[in-house]
Amino acid sequence: MNPTLILLRKKAKKTFGAVTRNLKGNLLGWIISLLVTAAMLAVFVFLFSGFCEGFTVAGLRSELLTVTFSLIAAYQVVTDMKFLSDSVLLAEDGEILRPLPLSERSLLLSDLIVVYCKSAISGALLTLPVLICFGVLQDCGAAFYFAIVPALLYVPMIALLFGVLLHPLYLLLRRFFAGKGALLFVLALVGAAAVFFLCSRLLVIVDQLLANNRLQYLFRESNARVVRIVAECLIPMNFVAKLLAGEMIALYLPLTLVAGTGAAFAIYYLARAQARLAARRPELV
Protein backbone atom coordinates (compact mmCIF):
# COMPACT_ATOMS: atom_id res chain seq x y z
CA MET A 1 0.00 0.00 0.00
CA ASN A 2 1.10 3.57 -0.63
CA PRO A 3 3.06 4.81 2.44
CA THR A 4 1.21 8.12 2.35
CA LEU A 5 -2.12 6.29 2.70
CA ILE A 6 -0.77 4.18 5.56
CA LEU A 7 0.43 7.27 7.43
CA LEU A 8 -2.80 9.08 6.65
CA ARG A 9 -4.87 6.26 8.12
CA LYS A 10 -2.67 6.14 11.23
CA LYS A 11 -2.72 9.90 11.84
CA ALA A 12 -6.42 10.27 11.08
CA LYS A 13 -7.18 7.51 13.58
CA LYS A 14 -4.94 9.20 16.15
CA THR A 15 -6.45 12.67 15.63
CA PHE A 16 -10.14 11.84 15.32
CA GLY A 17 -9.91 8.90 17.72
CA ALA A 18 -8.68 11.29 20.40
CA VAL A 19 -11.83 13.36 19.89
CA THR A 20 -13.99 10.28 20.50
CA ARG A 21 -12.03 9.31 23.62
CA ASN A 22 -12.27 12.83 25.03
CA LEU A 23 -16.00 12.83 24.32
CA LYS A 24 -16.48 9.66 26.33
CA GLY A 25 -14.26 10.86 29.17
CA ASN A 26 -15.67 14.37 29.49
CA LEU A 27 -19.25 14.25 28.27
CA LEU A 28 -20.41 17.21 30.39
CA GLY A 29 -17.60 19.41 29.10
CA TRP A 30 -18.46 18.50 25.52
CA ILE A 31 -22.14 19.28 26.08
CA ILE A 32 -21.26 22.71 27.51
CA SER A 33 -18.85 23.36 24.65
CA LEU A 34 -21.51 22.30 22.14
CA LEU A 35 -24.09 24.64 23.68
CA VAL A 36 -21.66 27.58 23.67
CA THR A 37 -20.72 26.85 20.04
CA ALA A 38 -24.38 26.57 19.05
CA ALA A 39 -25.14 29.90 20.75
CA MET A 40 -22.24 31.64 18.96
CA LEU A 41 -23.31 30.11 15.65
CA ALA A 42 -26.89 31.28 16.20
CA VAL A 43 -25.62 34.82 16.82
CA PHE A 44 -23.46 34.68 13.70
CA VAL A 45 -26.34 33.47 11.52
CA PHE A 46 -28.68 36.07 13.02
CA LEU A 47 -26.25 38.88 12.21
CA PHE A 48 -25.72 37.47 8.72
CA SER A 49 -29.44 37.25 8.02
CA GLY A 50 -29.94 40.75 9.38
CA PHE A 51 -27.32 42.27 7.09
CA CYS A 52 -28.25 40.11 4.10
CA GLU A 53 -31.22 42.23 3.03
CA GLY A 54 -29.29 45.48 3.30
CA PHE A 55 -26.35 44.13 1.32
CA THR A 56 -28.70 42.78 -1.34
CA VAL A 57 -30.61 46.05 -1.75
CA ALA A 58 -27.27 47.85 -2.16
CA GLY A 59 -26.17 45.33 -4.80
CA LEU A 60 -23.52 43.80 -2.53
CA ARG A 61 -24.43 40.10 -2.63
CA SER A 62 -20.96 38.81 -3.49
CA GLU A 63 -19.35 41.35 -1.15
CA LEU A 64 -21.41 39.97 1.74
CA LEU A 65 -20.17 36.44 1.00
CA THR A 66 -16.59 37.67 0.58
CA VAL A 67 -16.55 39.36 3.98
CA THR A 68 -18.27 36.39 5.62
CA PHE A 69 -15.83 33.84 4.15
CA SER A 70 -12.90 36.04 5.18
CA LEU A 71 -14.15 36.24 8.77
CA ILE A 72 -14.62 32.46 8.89
CA ALA A 73 -11.13 31.92 7.46
CA ALA A 74 -9.61 34.32 10.01
CA TYR A 75 -11.38 32.45 12.82
CA GLN A 76 -10.02 29.14 11.51
CA VAL A 77 -6.48 30.49 11.27
CA VAL A 78 -6.59 31.50 14.95
CA THR A 79 -8.29 28.38 16.30
CA ASP A 80 -6.35 25.84 14.19
CA MET A 81 -2.87 27.40 14.43
CA LYS A 82 -1.68 25.33 17.41
CA PHE A 83 -2.86 22.08 15.84
CA LEU A 84 -1.20 23.01 12.54
CA SER A 85 2.04 23.89 14.30
CA ASP A 86 2.22 20.80 16.49
CA SER A 87 1.04 18.36 13.83
CA VAL A 88 2.89 19.55 10.73
CA LEU A 89 5.31 22.43 10.99
CA LEU A 90 6.99 21.32 14.21
CA ALA A 91 6.15 17.62 13.70
CA GLU A 92 5.71 16.29 17.24
CA ASP A 93 6.13 12.70 16.04
CA GLY A 94 8.72 13.57 13.40
CA GLU A 95 11.64 12.41 15.52
CA ILE A 96 10.03 8.98 15.85
CA LEU A 97 8.99 8.55 12.21
CA ARG A 98 11.96 10.19 10.50
CA PRO A 99 14.38 7.25 11.00
CA LEU A 100 11.86 4.88 9.39
CA PRO A 101 12.04 4.18 5.64
CA LEU A 102 9.39 6.81 4.86
CA SER A 103 9.80 9.69 2.45
CA GLU A 104 9.58 13.28 3.62
CA ARG A 105 6.79 13.77 1.10
CA SER A 106 4.68 10.97 2.62
CA LEU A 107 5.15 12.30 6.15
CA LEU A 108 4.27 15.87 5.22
CA LEU A 109 1.34 15.07 2.93
CA SER A 110 -0.32 12.80 5.50
CA ASP A 111 -0.01 15.50 8.17
CA LEU A 112 -1.32 18.24 5.90
CA ILE A 113 -4.30 16.17 4.73
CA VAL A 114 -5.34 15.41 8.33
CA VAL A 115 -5.03 19.08 9.31
CA TYR A 116 -7.01 20.13 6.23
CA CYS A 117 -9.79 17.59 6.90
CA LYS A 118 -10.09 18.75 10.51
CA SER A 119 -10.21 22.38 9.35
CA ALA A 120 -12.77 21.56 6.64
CA ILE A 121 -15.06 19.81 9.13
CA SER A 122 -14.92 22.62 11.69
CA GLY A 123 -15.25 25.25 8.97
CA ALA A 124 -18.31 23.55 7.50
CA LEU A 125 -20.10 24.00 10.83
CA LEU A 126 -19.85 27.76 10.28
CA THR A 127 -19.99 28.03 6.50
CA LEU A 128 -22.85 25.64 5.76
CA PRO A 129 -25.54 27.29 7.95
CA VAL A 130 -24.58 30.72 6.60
CA LEU A 131 -24.79 29.59 2.96
CA ILE A 132 -28.10 27.81 3.52
CA CYS A 133 -29.43 30.98 5.15
CA PHE A 134 -28.20 33.01 2.16
CA GLY A 135 -29.77 30.57 -0.30
CA VAL A 136 -33.14 30.68 1.45
CA LEU A 137 -33.20 34.48 1.83
CA GLN A 138 -32.10 35.06 -1.76
CA ASP A 139 -34.36 32.32 -3.15
CA CYS A 140 -31.39 30.72 -4.93
CA GLY A 141 -31.84 27.81 -7.29
CA ALA A 142 -30.41 24.31 -7.21
CA ALA A 143 -27.16 25.42 -8.89
CA PHE A 144 -26.32 27.51 -5.83
CA TYR A 145 -26.62 24.55 -3.47
CA PHE A 146 -24.38 22.43 -5.70
CA ALA A 147 -21.83 25.26 -5.66
CA ILE A 148 -21.77 25.14 -1.85
CA VAL A 149 -19.61 21.98 -2.01
CA PRO A 150 -16.58 23.63 -3.65
CA ALA A 151 -16.99 26.59 -1.26
CA LEU A 152 -16.79 24.23 1.73
CA LEU A 153 -13.53 22.86 0.31
CA TYR A 154 -12.11 26.19 -0.83
CA VAL A 155 -12.46 28.32 2.33
CA PRO A 156 -10.47 25.98 4.64
CA MET A 157 -7.78 25.62 1.95
CA ILE A 158 -7.24 29.39 1.90
CA ALA A 159 -7.38 29.48 5.71
CA LEU A 160 -4.71 26.76 5.86
CA LEU A 161 -2.52 28.73 3.43
CA PHE A 162 -2.65 31.83 5.63
CA GLY A 163 -2.07 29.66 8.69
CA VAL A 164 1.19 28.41 7.18
CA LEU A 165 2.18 31.95 6.15
CA LEU A 166 1.50 33.33 9.65
CA HIS A 167 3.17 30.44 11.48
CA PRO A 168 6.50 32.30 11.99
CA LEU A 169 4.57 35.09 13.74
CA TYR A 170 2.87 32.46 15.92
CA LEU A 171 6.29 31.11 16.93
CA LEU A 172 7.48 34.61 17.85
CA LEU A 173 4.43 35.15 20.04
CA ARG A 174 4.82 31.71 21.61
CA ARG A 175 8.43 32.40 22.52
CA PHE A 176 7.48 35.83 23.91
CA PHE A 177 4.75 34.39 26.16
CA ALA A 178 6.82 31.36 27.27
CA GLY A 179 6.84 31.40 31.07
CA LYS A 180 4.25 34.18 31.14
CA GLY A 181 1.16 32.06 31.61
CA ALA A 182 -0.54 34.53 33.95
CA LEU A 183 -0.16 37.39 31.46
CA LEU A 184 -1.42 35.22 28.61
CA PHE A 185 -4.44 34.15 30.69
CA VAL A 186 -5.31 37.77 31.54
CA LEU A 187 -4.99 38.86 27.89
CA ALA A 188 -7.14 35.91 26.73
CA LEU A 189 -9.76 36.75 29.35
CA VAL A 190 -9.83 40.43 28.37
CA GLY A 191 -9.97 39.52 24.68
CA ALA A 192 -12.85 37.08 25.18
CA ALA A 193 -14.75 39.63 27.28
CA ALA A 194 -14.22 42.29 24.60
CA VAL A 195 -15.47 39.97 21.86
CA PHE A 196 -18.61 39.02 23.80
CA PHE A 197 -19.27 42.68 24.68
CA LEU A 198 -18.92 43.82 21.06
CA CYS A 199 -21.14 40.97 19.85
CA SER A 200 -23.83 41.86 22.40
CA ARG A 201 -23.71 45.53 21.40
CA LEU A 202 -23.85 44.64 17.71
CA LEU A 203 -26.84 42.39 18.32
CA VAL A 204 -28.69 45.20 20.10
CA ILE A 205 -27.90 47.70 17.32
CA VAL A 206 -28.93 45.32 14.54
CA ASP A 207 -32.12 44.38 16.39
CA GLN A 208 -33.06 48.06 16.81
CA LEU A 209 -32.34 48.82 13.17
CA LEU A 210 -34.41 45.86 12.05
CA ALA A 211 -37.27 46.78 14.37
CA ASN A 212 -37.34 50.35 12.99
CA ASN A 213 -36.71 49.27 9.40
CA ARG A 214 -33.62 51.49 9.25
CA LEU A 215 -30.95 48.94 8.36
CA GLN A 216 -30.87 50.10 4.74
CA TYR A 217 -29.52 53.48 5.85
CA LEU A 218 -26.21 51.80 6.66
CA PHE A 219 -25.77 51.07 2.98
CA ARG A 220 -25.66 54.55 1.52
CA GLU A 221 -23.63 54.86 -1.68
CA SER A 222 -20.54 56.08 0.17
CA ASN A 223 -20.61 53.09 2.55
CA ALA A 224 -21.36 50.67 -0.30
CA ARG A 225 -18.33 51.99 -2.18
CA VAL A 226 -16.08 51.27 0.80
CA VAL A 227 -17.48 47.74 1.11
CA ARG A 228 -16.82 47.11 -2.59
CA ILE A 229 -13.23 48.31 -2.29
CA VAL A 230 -12.60 46.12 0.76
CA ALA A 231 -14.16 43.09 -0.92
CA GLU A 232 -12.07 43.59 -4.06
CA CYS A 233 -8.94 43.52 -1.89
CA LEU A 234 -9.91 40.22 -0.24
CA ILE A 235 -8.31 38.06 -2.93
CA PRO A 236 -8.69 35.11 -3.45
CA MET A 237 -11.73 34.77 -1.17
CA ASN A 238 -13.81 36.95 -3.46
CA PHE A 239 -13.41 34.45 -6.33
CA VAL A 240 -15.63 31.81 -4.74
CA ALA A 241 -17.98 34.49 -3.36
CA LYS A 242 -18.60 35.90 -6.85
CA LEU A 243 -19.05 32.36 -8.16
CA LEU A 244 -21.75 31.64 -5.56
CA ALA A 245 -23.40 34.98 -6.23
CA GLY A 246 -23.66 34.03 -9.90
CA GLU A 247 -21.40 36.83 -11.16
CA MET A 248 -19.38 36.05 -14.31
CA ILE A 249 -19.32 32.29 -13.67
CA ALA A 250 -17.24 31.64 -16.81
CA LEU A 251 -14.46 33.78 -15.29
CA TYR A 252 -14.67 33.01 -11.58
CA LEU A 253 -15.11 29.23 -11.83
CA PRO A 254 -11.66 28.71 -13.42
CA LEU A 255 -10.17 31.40 -11.16
CA THR A 256 -11.51 29.55 -8.10
CA LEU A 257 -10.10 26.23 -9.34
CA VAL A 258 -6.71 27.78 -10.13
CA ALA A 259 -6.56 29.61 -6.79
CA GLY A 260 -7.50 26.48 -4.83
CA THR A 261 -4.94 24.34 -6.67
CA GLY A 262 -2.27 27.00 -6.32
CA ALA A 263 -3.00 27.31 -2.60
CA ALA A 264 -2.58 23.54 -2.17
CA PHE A 265 0.85 23.59 -3.84
CA ALA A 266 1.89 26.69 -1.90
CA ILE A 267 0.86 25.07 1.39
CA TYR A 268 2.96 22.00 0.65
CA TYR A 269 6.14 23.82 -0.31
CA LEU A 270 5.88 26.46 2.42
CA ALA A 271 5.17 23.80 5.05
CA ARG A 272 8.10 21.72 3.81
CA ALA A 273 10.45 24.69 4.03
CA GLN A 274 9.32 25.51 7.59
CA ALA A 275 9.49 21.87 8.72
CA ARG A 276 13.05 21.56 7.36
CA LEU A 277 14.08 24.78 9.08
CA ALA A 278 12.60 23.58 12.38
CA ALA A 279 14.51 20.29 12.08
CA ARG A 280 17.83 22.07 11.33
CA ARG A 281 17.42 24.97 13.75
CA PRO A 282 15.41 23.73 16.77
CA GLU A 283 16.51 26.78 18.75
CA LEU A 284 14.20 28.88 16.56
CA VAL A 285 11.16 26.96 17.71
Side-chain angles (χ1 to χ4, degrees), residues 245-267:
E247 298 179 10
M248 300 175 67
I249 296 176
L251 172 64
Y252 287 107
L253 177 58
L255 277 179
T256 300
L257 293 175
V258 169
T261 305
F265 279 101
I267 288 166

Side-chain angles (χ1 to χ4, degrees), residues 59-277:
L60 300 171
R61 294 172 76 240
S62 66
E63 287 79 4
L64 173 62
L65 292 177
T66 299
V67 173
T68 302
F69 290 156
S70 299
L71 290 174
I72 292 173
Y75 172 79
Q76 287 192 276
V77 169
V78 173
T79 55
D80 293 342
M81 180 62 80
K82 186 178 186 305
F83 182 69
L84 170 66
S85 180
D86 294 343
S87 300
V88 181
L89 302 178
L90 300 186
E92 284 184 333
D93 56 357
E95 295 299 323
I96 300 173
L97 297 175
R98 200 170 289 118
L100 298 177
L102 297 168
S103 67
E104 178 190 44
R105 177 175 173 275
S106 296
L107 289 169
L108 186 57
L109 276 178
S110 59
D111 285 329
L112 285 172
I113 291 172
V114 169
V115 171
Y116 172 74
C117 289
K118 182 177 181 294
S119 180
I121 293 171
S122 61
L125 297 177
L126 289 172
T127 310
L128 189 58
V130 165
L131 289 178
I132 292 175
C133 176
F134 181 85
V136 171
L137 292 175
Q138 298 294 318
D139 195 23
C140 296
F144 171 83
Y145 294 98
F146 283 113
I148 285 179
V149 177
L152 295 178
L153 300 175
Y154 183 84
V155 173
M157 183 69 74
I158 302 303
L160 183 55
L161 173 60
F162 279 95
V164 174
L165 289 171
L166 294 173
H167 182 250
L169 176 61
Y170 167 77
L171 291 181
L172 286 175
L173 292 174
R174 196 174 77 165
R175 286 201 297 271
F176 175 78
F177 285 108
K180 301 175 183 176
L183 175 61
L184 184 60
F185 175 76
V186 171
L187 290 176
L189 194 62
V190 171
V195 169
F196 281 112
F197 174 76
L198 290 174
C199 285
S200 65
R201 293 303 305 162
L202 188 58
L203 279 172
V204 171
I205 293 171
V206 171
D207 184 58
Q208 291 176 348
L209 290 173
L210 287 173
N212 298 322
N213 198 26
R214 296 172 56 192
L215 191 62
Q216 64 270 22
Y217 294 120
L218 289 176
F219 299 95
R220 296 190 299 269
E221 183 56 34
S222 58
N223 294 337
R225 193 180 306 115
V226 172
V227 173
R228 288 191 185 96
I229 293 172
V230 171
E232 289 299 323
C233 295
L234 294 174
I235 298 171
M237 204 60 79
N238 52 10
F239 295 165
V240 72
K242 289 179 181 294
L243 176 63
L244 284 168
E247 298 179 10
M248 300 175 67
I249 296 176
L251 172 64
Y252 287 107
L253 177 58
L255 277 179
T256 300
L257 293 175
V258 169
T261 305
F265 279 101
I267 288 166
Y268 174 78
Y269 287 108
L270 288 170
R272 187 179 69 174
Q274 292 190 40
R276 286 178 176 178
L277 180 62

